[in-house]
Amino acid sequence: MEENKYYLTLIELLANYDMLLDKLQKHMAEGHFNLSRANYHNKDSISGTYGKDYWDNTFVGTQFATIDEDGSVASRYVQQEVDTDDAGSGNEVTGDNDNELRNRNTKKSITKEKKRQLDPLSMFGGILSIPNSLCQSQAEFVKCIPIIVSLVNCRKQLYNIIDEIEGMQA
């Protein structure tokens, strides 16, 4: 009777795994379609396609996978920020503190260091010159990351259930 419970769990995990594979295939196909569209409209560039030739090797990734103590995989997003200095505008003067600026019109204090989030697409020529299809491609590929993590965890669960079933039969 206990063996039936394992088989039902196995069937549920296989159905979930199949559904996750379908989702992954959909997002990967859309991502590659949008990437090819961006490359088609990028004909006047030097290298012709968005690829390794365009990469800025100093850029550190923002999506990482970690393996927990129990062996499950999790993804994490690391936000990268850059300091931007607004000291060059004409209506701001240095306040009492060196780390703050004061706006003459509103008399509010603003911190000198404004943070701007880095986007991996900025390595392809700046935010304004990136085609929309490349942004859509990035969005589709980013949607793949949690699906891949779920696939890895589901596969691990499948192997564990199969090992338990084989252990009961031996």
Side-chain angles (χ1 to χ4, degrees), residues 46-113:
I46 294 171
S47 69
T49 60
Y50 292 104
K52 287 186 178 184
D53 296 337
Y54 270 98
W55 287 358
D56 179 8
N57 291 328
T58 61
F59 190 83
V60 181
T62 57
Q63 301 278 341
F64 297 97
T66 57
I67 300 175
D68 296 335
E69 292 176 7
D70 63 346
S72 63
V73 178
S75 68
R76 63 184 172 94
Y77 176 75
V78 177
Q79 219 174 25
Q80 292 185 357
E81 296 176 342
V82 239
D83 294 336
T84 58
D85 190 9
D86 290 336
S89 45
N91 61 350
E92 295 172 347
V93 293
T94 306
D96 297 336
N97 190 351
D98 288 339
N99 293 332
E100 293 185 358
L101 296 175
R102 184 174 52 90
N103 190 329
R104 288 183 187 174
N105 298 334
T106 61
K107 300 200 184 333
K108 288 183 181 177
S109 292
I110 333 173
T111 60
K112 185 176 183 178
E113 299 174 1

Short mmCIF file of all heavy atoms in Angstrom, two decimals, residues 46-113:
data_model
loop_
_atom_site.label_atom_id
_atom_site.label_comp_id
_atom_site.label_asym_id
_atom_site.label_seq_id
_atom_site.Cartn_x
_atom_site.Cartn_y
_atom_site.Cartn_z
N ILE A 46 29.01 47.23 -36.26
CA ILE A 46 30.29 46.69 -36.73
C ILE A 46 30.27 45.17 -36.77
O ILE A 46 30.63 44.56 -37.76
CB ILE A 46 31.43 47.19 -35.82
CG1 ILE A 46 31.56 48.70 -35.97
CG2 ILE A 46 32.74 46.50 -36.16
CD1 ILE A 46 32.51 49.34 -34.98
N SER A 47 29.84 44.54 -35.69
CA SER A 47 29.90 43.07 -35.65
C SER A 47 28.63 42.43 -36.19
O SER A 47 28.65 41.27 -36.55
CB SER A 47 30.17 42.59 -34.24
OG SER A 47 29.06 42.86 -33.43
N GLY A 48 27.51 43.14 -36.21
CA GLY A 48 26.30 42.63 -36.82
C GLY A 48 25.34 41.91 -35.91
O GLY A 48 24.16 41.91 -36.15
N THR A 49 25.80 41.27 -34.86
CA THR A 49 24.89 40.53 -33.99
C THR A 49 25.20 40.82 -32.53
O THR A 49 26.33 41.16 -32.18
CB THR A 49 25.01 39.00 -34.19
OG1 THR A 49 26.35 38.60 -33.90
CG2 THR A 49 24.65 38.60 -35.61
N TYR A 50 24.17 40.69 -31.69
CA TYR A 50 24.38 40.80 -30.25
C TYR A 50 24.90 39.47 -29.77
O TYR A 50 24.24 38.46 -29.85
CB TYR A 50 23.07 41.14 -29.54
CG TYR A 50 22.57 42.52 -29.85
CD1 TYR A 50 21.51 42.72 -30.72
CD2 TYR A 50 23.17 43.62 -29.29
CE1 TYR A 50 21.06 44.00 -31.01
CE2 TYR A 50 22.74 44.90 -29.57
CZ TYR A 50 21.68 45.08 -30.42
OH TYR A 50 21.25 46.34 -30.71
N GLY A 51 26.11 39.47 -29.28
CA GLY A 51 26.72 38.24 -28.82
C GLY A 51 27.97 38.55 -28.01
O GLY A 51 28.11 39.64 -27.44
N LYS A 52 28.90 37.61 -27.96
CA LYS A 52 30.10 37.75 -27.14
C LYS A 52 30.96 38.93 -27.56
O LYS A 52 31.70 39.48 -26.75
CB LYS A 52 30.92 36.47 -27.18
CG LYS A 52 30.31 35.34 -26.41
CD LYS A 52 31.25 34.15 -26.37
CE LYS A 52 30.64 33.05 -25.54
NZ LYS A 52 31.54 31.91 -25.40
N ASP A 53 30.89 39.33 -28.83
CA ASP A 53 31.68 40.46 -29.27
C ASP A 53 31.25 41.76 -28.60
O ASP A 53 32.03 42.70 -28.48
CB ASP A 53 31.57 40.63 -30.79
CG ASP A 53 32.15 39.44 -31.52
OD1 ASP A 53 32.99 38.73 -30.93
OD2 ASP A 53 31.76 39.21 -32.68
N TYR A 54 30.02 41.83 -28.18
CA TYR A 54 29.49 43.03 -27.55
C TYR A 54 29.66 43.02 -26.03
O TYR A 54 29.48 44.03 -25.39
CB TYR A 54 27.98 43.15 -27.82
CG TYR A 54 27.64 43.91 -29.06
CD1 TYR A 54 27.36 43.25 -30.24
CD2 TYR A 54 27.57 45.28 -29.05
CE1 TYR A 54 27.01 43.94 -31.37
CE2 TYR A 54 27.22 45.99 -30.18
CZ TYR A 54 26.94 45.31 -31.34
OH TYR A 54 26.60 46.00 -32.45
N TRP A 55 29.94 41.88 -25.43
CA TRP A 55 29.94 41.77 -23.99
C TRP A 55 30.98 42.65 -23.34
O TRP A 55 32.10 42.79 -23.83
CB TRP A 55 30.21 40.33 -23.56
CG TRP A 55 29.08 39.41 -23.79
CD1 TRP A 55 27.86 39.72 -24.30
CD2 TRP A 55 29.06 38.02 -23.56
NE1 TRP A 55 27.07 38.62 -24.40
CE2 TRP A 55 27.79 37.54 -23.95
CE3 TRP A 55 29.98 37.12 -23.06
CZ2 TRP A 55 27.43 36.22 -23.84
CZ3 TRP A 55 29.61 35.80 -22.96
CH2 TRP A 55 28.35 35.37 -23.35
N ASP A 56 30.62 43.23 -22.22
CA ASP A 56 31.55 43.96 -21.37
C ASP A 56 31.99 42.99 -20.29
O ASP A 56 31.21 42.63 -19.40
CB ASP A 56 30.83 45.17 -20.77
CG ASP A 56 31.73 45.97 -19.86
OD1 ASP A 56 32.94 45.69 -19.83
OD2 ASP A 56 31.23 46.88 -19.18
N ASN A 57 33.22 42.53 -20.36
CA ASN A 57 33.68 41.49 -19.45
C ASN A 57 33.86 41.97 -18.02
O ASN A 57 34.09 41.17 -17.12
CB ASN A 57 34.99 40.88 -19.96
CG ASN A 57 34.77 40.08 -21.22
OD1 ASN A 57 33.71 39.49 -21.40
ND2 ASN A 57 35.76 40.08 -22.10
N THR A 58 33.77 43.28 -17.79
CA THR A 58 33.87 43.78 -16.42
C THR A 58 32.54 43.73 -15.69
O THR A 58 32.49 43.90 -14.48
CB THR A 58 34.37 45.25 -16.42
OG1 THR A 58 33.42 46.06 -17.12
CG2 THR A 58 35.73 45.35 -17.07
N PHE A 59 31.46 43.47 -16.41
CA PHE A 59 30.14 43.44 -15.80
C PHE A 59 29.95 42.13 -15.05
O PHE A 59 30.20 41.05 -15.57
CB PHE A 59 29.05 43.57 -16.87
CG PHE A 59 27.68 43.77 -16.31
CD1 PHE A 59 27.26 45.03 -15.93
CD2 PHE A 59 26.83 42.70 -16.13
CE1 PHE A 59 26.00 45.22 -15.40
CE2 PHE A 59 25.57 42.88 -15.60
CZ PHE A 59 25.16 44.15 -15.24
N VAL A 60 29.55 42.22 -13.78
CA VAL A 60 29.32 41.05 -12.96
C VAL A 60 27.84 40.69 -13.07
O VAL A 60 26.99 41.56 -13.13
CB VAL A 60 29.69 41.34 -11.49
CG1 VAL A 60 29.47 40.13 -10.62
CG2 VAL A 60 31.13 41.79 -11.40
N GLY A 61 27.52 39.42 -13.10
CA GLY A 61 26.15 38.97 -13.25
C GLY A 61 25.24 39.40 -12.12
O GLY A 61 25.70 39.78 -11.04
N THR A 62 23.95 39.31 -12.37
CA THR A 62 22.97 39.69 -11.35
C THR A 62 22.14 38.51 -10.88
O THR A 62 21.46 38.60 -9.89
CB THR A 62 22.01 40.77 -11.89
OG1 THR A 62 21.38 40.28 -13.07
CG2 THR A 62 22.75 42.05 -12.22
N GLN A 63 22.16 37.40 -11.59
CA GLN A 63 21.39 36.21 -11.24
C GLN A 63 22.36 35.09 -10.87
O GLN A 63 23.26 34.77 -11.65
CB GLN A 63 20.53 35.75 -12.42
CG GLN A 63 19.57 36.79 -12.91
CD GLN A 63 18.30 36.82 -12.08
OE1 GLN A 63 18.00 35.87 -11.37
NE2 GLN A 63 17.58 37.91 -12.16
N PHE A 64 22.17 34.52 -9.71
CA PHE A 64 23.06 33.46 -9.24
C PHE A 64 22.24 32.29 -8.71
O PHE A 64 21.13 32.49 -8.22
CB PHE A 64 23.99 33.97 -8.13
CG PHE A 64 24.91 35.07 -8.58
CD1 PHE A 64 24.58 36.39 -8.37
CD2 PHE A 64 26.08 34.77 -9.23
CE1 PHE A 64 25.41 37.41 -8.78
CE2 PHE A 64 26.93 35.77 -9.66
CZ PHE A 64 26.60 37.10 -9.44
N ALA A 65 22.79 31.10 -8.79
CA ALA A 65 22.15 29.90 -8.24
C ALA A 65 22.97 29.45 -7.04
O ALA A 65 24.19 29.47 -7.07
CB ALA A 65 22.06 28.80 -9.28
N THR A 66 22.27 29.05 -5.99
CA THR A 66 22.94 28.53 -4.80
C THR A 66 22.36 27.16 -4.47
O THR A 66 21.20 26.90 -4.72
CB THR A 66 22.74 29.47 -3.59
OG1 THR A 66 21.34 29.64 -3.37
CG2 THR A 66 23.39 30.82 -3.82
N ILE A 67 23.20 26.33 -3.90
CA ILE A 67 22.77 25.00 -3.49
C ILE A 67 22.70 24.99 -1.97
O ILE A 67 23.68 25.29 -1.29
CB ILE A 67 23.73 23.91 -4.00
CG1 ILE A 67 23.78 23.94 -5.52
CG2 ILE A 67 23.30 22.54 -3.50
CD1 ILE A 67 24.78 23.00 -6.13
N ASP A 68 21.51 24.70 -1.44
CA ASP A 68 21.31 24.68 0.01
C ASP A 68 21.93 23.44 0.62
O ASP A 68 22.39 22.54 -0.09
CB ASP A 68 19.81 24.73 0.33
CG ASP A 68 19.17 26.02 -0.14
OD1 ASP A 68 19.89 27.03 -0.25
OD2 ASP A 68 17.95 26.01 -0.38
N GLU A 69 21.91 23.37 1.95
CA GLU A 69 22.49 22.24 2.66
C GLU A 69 21.78 20.93 2.34
O GLU A 69 22.39 19.88 2.32
CB GLU A 69 22.44 22.49 4.16
CG GLU A 69 23.36 23.60 4.61
CD GLU A 69 23.21 23.89 6.09
OE1 GLU A 69 22.50 23.14 6.79
OE2 GLU A 69 23.82 24.86 6.55
N ASP A 70 20.47 21.00 2.07
CA ASP A 70 19.73 19.78 1.76
C ASP A 70 19.85 19.39 0.29
O ASP A 70 19.26 18.41 -0.14
CB ASP A 70 18.26 19.92 2.16
CG ASP A 70 17.54 21.02 1.38
OD1 ASP A 70 18.23 21.83 0.74
OD2 ASP A 70 16.31 21.04 1.41
N GLY A 71 20.61 20.14 -0.50
CA GLY A 71 20.83 19.81 -1.90
C GLY A 71 19.89 20.49 -2.86
O GLY A 71 20.02 20.34 -4.07
N SER A 72 18.92 21.25 -2.37
CA SER A 72 18.00 21.93 -3.28
C SER A 72 18.66 23.20 -3.82
O SER A 72 19.51 23.81 -3.18
CB SER A 72 16.69 22.27 -2.57
OG SER A 72 16.93 23.16 -1.51
N VAL A 73 18.27 23.57 -5.00
CA VAL A 73 18.85 24.72 -5.70
C VAL A 73 17.90 25.91 -5.55
O VAL A 73 16.69 25.76 -5.64
CB VAL A 73 19.08 24.39 -7.18
CG1 VAL A 73 19.62 25.59 -7.93
CG2 VAL A 73 20.02 23.21 -7.33
N ALA A 74 18.46 27.07 -5.33
CA ALA A 74 17.68 28.30 -5.25
C ALA A 74 18.38 29.38 -6.06
O ALA A 74 19.61 29.38 -6.17
CB ALA A 74 17.53 28.75 -3.80
N SER A 75 17.61 30.27 -6.65
CA SER A 75 18.22 31.38 -7.37
C SER A 75 18.12 32.63 -6.52
O SER A 75 17.22 32.77 -5.71
CB SER A 75 17.53 31.59 -8.72
OG SER A 75 16.22 32.07 -8.52
N ARG A 76 19.07 33.51 -6.72
CA ARG A 76 19.01 34.78 -6.01
C ARG A 76 19.42 35.89 -6.96
O ARG A 76 20.22 35.69 -7.87
CB ARG A 76 19.89 34.77 -4.76
CG ARG A 76 21.35 34.60 -5.02
CD ARG A 76 22.12 34.52 -3.69
NE ARG A 76 23.49 34.16 -3.97
CZ ARG A 76 24.48 35.03 -4.11
NH1 ARG A 76 24.24 36.31 -3.99
NH2 ARG A 76 25.70 34.64 -4.37
N TYR A 77 18.83 37.03 -6.75
CA TYR A 77 19.08 38.20 -7.58
C TYR A 77 19.92 39.18 -6.78
O TYR A 77 19.58 39.51 -5.65
CB TYR A 77 17.75 38.85 -7.99
CG TYR A 77 17.90 40.12 -8.76
CD1 TYR A 77 18.28 40.10 -10.09
CD2 TYR A 77 17.68 41.35 -8.16
CE1 TYR A 77 18.43 41.27 -10.80
CE2 TYR A 77 17.81 42.52 -8.87
CZ TYR A 77 18.18 42.47 -10.19
OH TYR A 77 18.33 43.64 -10.89
N VAL A 78 21.02 39.62 -7.34
CA VAL A 78 21.88 40.58 -6.69
C VAL A 78 21.74 41.90 -7.43
O VAL A 78 21.98 41.97 -8.63
CB VAL A 78 23.35 40.13 -6.70
CG1 VAL A 78 24.24 41.19 -6.09
CG2 VAL A 78 23.50 38.81 -5.99
N GLN A 79 21.32 42.93 -6.71
CA GLN A 79 21.12 44.22 -7.32
C GLN A 79 22.45 44.97 -7.34
O GLN A 79 23.08 45.14 -6.32
CB GLN A 79 20.10 45.01 -6.49
CG GLN A 79 19.17 45.80 -7.29
CD GLN A 79 18.10 46.42 -6.39
OE1 GLN A 79 18.30 46.62 -5.22
NE2 GLN A 79 16.97 46.70 -6.98
N GLN A 80 22.86 45.37 -8.54
CA GLN A 80 24.08 46.15 -8.65
C GLN A 80 23.70 47.62 -8.81
O GLN A 80 22.79 47.95 -9.55
CB GLN A 80 24.89 45.71 -9.86
CG GLN A 80 25.47 44.36 -9.73
CD GLN A 80 26.36 44.04 -10.91
OE1 GLN A 80 26.49 44.81 -11.84
NE2 GLN A 80 26.96 42.88 -10.87
N GLU A 81 24.40 48.46 -8.11
CA GLU A 81 24.10 49.88 -8.16
C GLU A 81 25.37 50.66 -8.40
O GLU A 81 26.46 50.25 -8.02
CB GLU A 81 23.46 50.34 -6.85
CG GLU A 81 22.12 49.70 -6.59
CD GLU A 81 21.55 50.09 -5.24
OE1 GLU A 81 22.31 50.57 -4.38
OE2 GLU A 81 20.33 49.92 -5.07
N VAL A 82 25.22 51.81 -9.05
CA VAL A 82 26.33 52.73 -9.27
C VAL A 82 25.98 54.06 -8.64
O VAL A 82 24.83 54.44 -8.59
CB VAL A 82 26.59 53.00 -10.76
CG1 VAL A 82 27.95 52.63 -11.18
CG2 VAL A 82 25.55 52.46 -11.64
N ASP A 83 26.99 54.74 -8.18
CA ASP A 83 26.78 56.06 -7.63
C ASP A 83 26.73 57.07 -8.77
O ASP A 83 27.58 57.05 -9.65
CB ASP A 83 27.92 56.44 -6.69
CG ASP A 83 27.95 55.56 -5.46
OD1 ASP A 83 26.89 55.00 -5.12
OD2 ASP A 83 29.03 55.43 -4.85
N THR A 84 25.75 57.94 -8.75
CA THR A 84 25.68 59.04 -9.70
C THR A 84 25.76 60.32 -8.91
O THR A 84 25.15 60.46 -7.86
CB THR A 84 24.38 59.00 -10.52
OG1 THR A 84 23.28 59.06 -9.62
CG2 THR A 84 24.29 57.75 -11.36
N ASP A 85 26.51 61.28 -9.40
CA ASP A 85 26.73 62.53 -8.68
C ASP A 85 25.97 63.64 -9.37
O ASP A 85 26.18 63.93 -10.54
CB ASP A 85 28.23 62.84 -8.66
CG ASP A 85 28.57 63.98 -7.74
OD1 ASP A 85 27.68 64.42 -7.00
OD2 ASP A 85 29.73 64.43 -7.79
N ASP A 86 25.03 64.28 -8.66
CA ASP A 86 24.24 65.36 -9.21
C ASP A 86 24.78 66.73 -8.81
O ASP A 86 24.07 67.71 -8.83
CB ASP A 86 22.78 65.26 -8.74
CG ASP A 86 22.09 64.09 -9.37
OD1 ASP A 86 22.54 63.65 -10.45
OD2 ASP A 86 21.11 63.59 -8.78
N ALA A 87 26.04 66.83 -8.41
CA ALA A 87 26.59 68.09 -7.93
C ALA A 87 26.74 69.13 -9.02
O ALA A 87 26.94 70.29 -8.74
CB ALA A 87 27.94 67.83 -7.27
N GLY A 88 26.63 68.74 -10.26
CA GLY A 88 26.85 69.66 -11.36
C GLY A 88 25.66 70.54 -11.68
O GLY A 88 25.77 71.44 -12.50
N SER A 89 24.48 70.35 -11.10
CA SER A 89 23.34 71.18 -11.46
C SER A 89 23.46 72.55 -10.79
O SER A 89 24.01 72.70 -9.72
CB SER A 89 22.02 70.51 -11.10
OG SER A 89 22.07 69.96 -9.83
N GLY A 90 22.90 73.56 -11.42
CA GLY A 90 23.12 74.93 -11.02
C GLY A 90 22.38 75.38 -9.78
O GLY A 90 22.81 76.31 -9.12
N ASN A 91 21.27 74.76 -9.42
CA ASN A 91 20.50 75.25 -8.30
C ASN A 91 20.79 74.52 -7.00
O ASN A 91 20.06 74.63 -6.05
CB ASN A 91 19.00 75.22 -8.61
CG ASN A 91 18.51 73.83 -8.89
OD1 ASN A 91 19.31 72.92 -9.02
ND2 ASN A 91 17.19 73.69 -9.00
N GLU A 92 21.87 73.73 -6.93
CA GLU A 92 22.21 73.01 -5.72
C GLU A 92 23.55 73.51 -5.20
O GLU A 92 24.47 73.77 -5.97
CB GLU A 92 22.29 71.51 -5.98
CG GLU A 92 20.97 70.90 -6.36
CD GLU A 92 21.13 69.46 -6.80
OE1 GLU A 92 22.25 69.02 -7.04
OE2 GLU A 92 20.10 68.80 -6.90
N VAL A 93 23.64 73.68 -3.90
CA VAL A 93 24.90 74.09 -3.28
C VAL A 93 25.21 73.14 -2.15
O VAL A 93 24.34 72.45 -1.65
CB VAL A 93 24.82 75.54 -2.73
CG1 VAL A 93 24.67 76.52 -3.86
CG2 VAL A 93 23.71 75.68 -1.72
N THR A 94 26.45 73.13 -1.75
CA THR A 94 26.85 72.24 -0.66
C THR A 94 26.25 72.72 0.64
O THR A 94 26.31 73.91 0.96
CB THR A 94 28.39 72.21 -0.54
OG1 THR A 94 28.91 71.85 -1.82
CG2 THR A 94 28.83 71.23 0.49
N GLY A 95 25.66 71.81 1.38
CA GLY A 95 25.02 72.14 2.66
C GLY A 95 26.03 72.13 3.79
O GLY A 95 27.24 72.20 3.58
N ASP A 96 25.52 72.01 5.01
CA ASP A 96 26.38 71.99 6.18
C ASP A 96 27.26 70.74 6.20
O ASP A 96 28.41 70.80 6.57
CB ASP A 96 25.54 72.05 7.46
CG ASP A 96 24.76 73.35 7.55
OD1 ASP A 96 25.19 74.34 6.91
OD2 ASP A 96 23.71 73.35 8.22
N ASN A 97 26.68 69.61 5.81
CA ASN A 97 27.40 68.36 5.82
C ASN A 97 27.99 68.13 4.43
O ASN A 97 27.39 68.46 3.41
CB ASN A 97 26.43 67.23 6.19
CG ASN A 97 27.14 65.93 6.45
OD1 ASN A 97 28.33 65.81 6.21
ND2 ASN A 97 26.40 64.96 6.96
N ASP A 98 29.19 67.57 4.36
CA ASP A 98 29.81 67.33 3.06
C ASP A 98 29.09 66.27 2.25
O ASP A 98 29.25 66.20 1.03
CB ASP A 98 31.27 66.90 3.25
CG ASP A 98 32.15 68.05 3.69
OD1 ASP A 98 31.74 69.22 3.46
OD2 ASP A 98 33.22 67.79 4.25
N ASN A 99 28.32 65.41 2.89
CA ASN A 99 27.62 64.33 2.18
C ASN A 99 26.24 64.73 1.70
O ASN A 99 25.53 63.92 1.14
CB ASN A 99 27.49 63.11 3.08
CG ASN A 99 28.83 62.49 3.36
OD1 ASN A 99 29.74 62.60 2.56
ND2 ASN A 99 28.95 61.86 4.52
N GLU A 100 25.82 65.98 1.93
CA GLU A 100 24.49 66.39 1.54
C GLU A 100 24.53 67.62 0.66
O GLU A 100 25.45 68.42 0.72
CB GLU A 100 23.63 66.69 2.77
CG GLU A 100 23.33 65.47 3.58
CD GLU A 100 22.37 65.78 4.72
OE1 GLU A 100 21.99 66.96 4.86
OE2 GLU A 100 22.00 64.85 5.43
N LEU A 101 23.52 67.77 -0.16
CA LEU A 101 23.34 68.95 -1.01
C LEU A 101 22.03 69.60 -0.62
O LEU A 101 21.09 68.95 -0.21
CB LEU A 101 23.30 68.54 -2.49
CG LEU A 101 24.57 67.92 -3.05
CD1 LEU A 101 24.33 67.48 -4.48
CD2 LEU A 101 25.72 68.91 -3.01
N ARG A 102 21.95 70.91 -0.79
CA ARG A 102 20.72 71.62 -0.48
C ARG A 102 20.21 72.28 -1.74
O ARG A 102 20.95 72.94 -2.46
CB ARG A 102 20.98 72.67 0.60
CG ARG A 102 19.73 73.38 1.06
CD ARG A 102 20.01 74.31 2.21
NE ARG A 102 21.09 75.23 1.96
CZ ARG A 102 20.94 76.44 1.42
NH1 ARG A 102 19.75 76.87 1.08
NH2 ARG A 102 21.97 77.22 1.23
N ASN A 103 18.95 72.11 -2.05
CA ASN A 103 18.33 72.75 -3.19
C ASN A 103 17.85 74.12 -2.75
O ASN A 103 17.12 74.25 -1.79
CB ASN A 103 17.15 71.88 -3.68
CG ASN A 103 16.62 72.34 -4.99
OD1 ASN A 103 16.66 73.53 -5.31
ND2 ASN A 103 16.12 71.40 -5.77
N ARG A 104 18.25 75.18 -3.46
CA ARG A 104 17.92 76.55 -3.04
C ARG A 104 16.42 76.81 -3.09
O ARG A 104 15.91 77.56 -2.27
CB ARG A 104 18.62 77.55 -3.95
CG ARG A 104 20.09 77.62 -3.73
CD ARG A 104 20.69 78.68 -4.60
NE ARG A 104 22.14 78.63 -4.51
CZ ARG A 104 22.93 79.36 -5.23
NH1 ARG A 104 22.46 80.19 -6.13
NH2 ARG A 104 24.22 79.27 -5.09
N ASN A 105 15.73 76.23 -4.04
CA ASN A 105 14.31 76.52 -4.20
C ASN A 105 13.45 75.83 -3.15
O ASN A 105 12.49 76.40 -2.67
CB ASN A 105 13.83 76.12 -5.59
CG ASN A 105 14.55 76.92 -6.66
OD1 ASN A 105 15.02 78.02 -6.42
ND2 ASN A 105 14.65 76.34 -7.85
N THR A 106 13.75 74.59 -2.80
CA THR A 106 12.89 73.84 -1.89
C THR A 106 13.47 73.70 -0.49
O THR A 106 12.77 73.27 0.40
CB THR A 106 12.62 72.44 -2.46
OG1 THR A 106 13.86 71.77 -2.59
CG2 THR A 106 11.90 72.51 -3.78
N LYS A 107 14.73 74.00 -0.32
CA LYS A 107 15.43 73.90 0.96
C LYS A 107 15.33 72.50 1.57
O LYS A 107 15.30 72.35 2.78
CB LYS A 107 14.92 74.95 1.94
CG LYS A 107 15.12 76.35 1.43
CD LYS A 107 15.07 77.30 2.56
CE LYS A 107 15.17 78.69 2.24
NZ LYS A 107 15.60 79.54 1.42
N LYS A 108 15.24 71.49 0.71
CA LYS A 108 15.27 70.11 1.19
C LYS A 108 16.67 69.57 1.03
O LYS A 108 17.38 69.94 0.11
CB LYS A 108 14.32 69.22 0.37
CG LYS A 108 12.86 69.48 0.63
CD LYS A 108 12.05 68.50 -0.19
CE LYS A 108 10.58 68.73 0.01
NZ LYS A 108 9.79 67.85 -0.83
N SER A 109 17.06 68.72 1.93
CA SER A 109 18.36 68.08 1.79
C SER A 109 18.23 66.84 0.94
O SER A 109 17.33 66.07 1.12
CB SER A 109 18.87 67.59 3.09
OG SER A 109 19.23 68.21 4.03
N ILE A 110 19.18 66.67 0.05
CA ILE A 110 19.22 65.47 -0.79
C ILE A 110 20.58 64.83 -0.57
O ILE A 110 21.56 65.53 -0.42
CB ILE A 110 19.09 65.80 -2.29
CG1 ILE A 110 18.33 67.09 -2.53
CG2 ILE A 110 18.46 64.69 -3.03
CD1 ILE A 110 18.34 67.50 -3.97
N THR A 111 20.61 63.54 -0.52
CA THR A 111 21.90 62.88 -0.35
C THR A 111 22.70 63.05 -1.63
O THR A 111 22.16 63.06 -2.74
CB THR A 111 21.73 61.39 -0.03
OG1 THR A 111 21.04 60.78 -1.10
CG2 THR A 111 21.00 61.19 1.27
N LYS A 112 24.00 63.19 -1.47
CA LYS A 112 24.88 63.44 -2.60
C LYS A 112 24.97 62.21 -3.51
O LYS A 112 25.10 62.35 -4.71
CB LYS A 112 26.26 63.83 -2.09
CG LYS A 112 27.23 64.24 -3.17
CD LYS A 112 28.53 64.68 -2.55
CE LYS A 112 29.49 65.17 -3.61
NZ LYS A 112 30.73 65.63 -3.03
N GLU A 113 24.90 61.04 -2.92
CA GLU A 113 25.05 59.82 -3.70
C GLU A 113 23.68 59.26 -4.05
O GLU A 113 22.97 58.75 -3.21
CB GLU A 113 25.82 58.78 -2.90
CG GLU A 113 27.20 59.19 -2.53
CD GLU A 113 27.86 58.19 -1.63
OE1 GLU A 113 27.24 57.17 -1.30
OE2 GLU A 113 29.00 58.44 -1.23
#
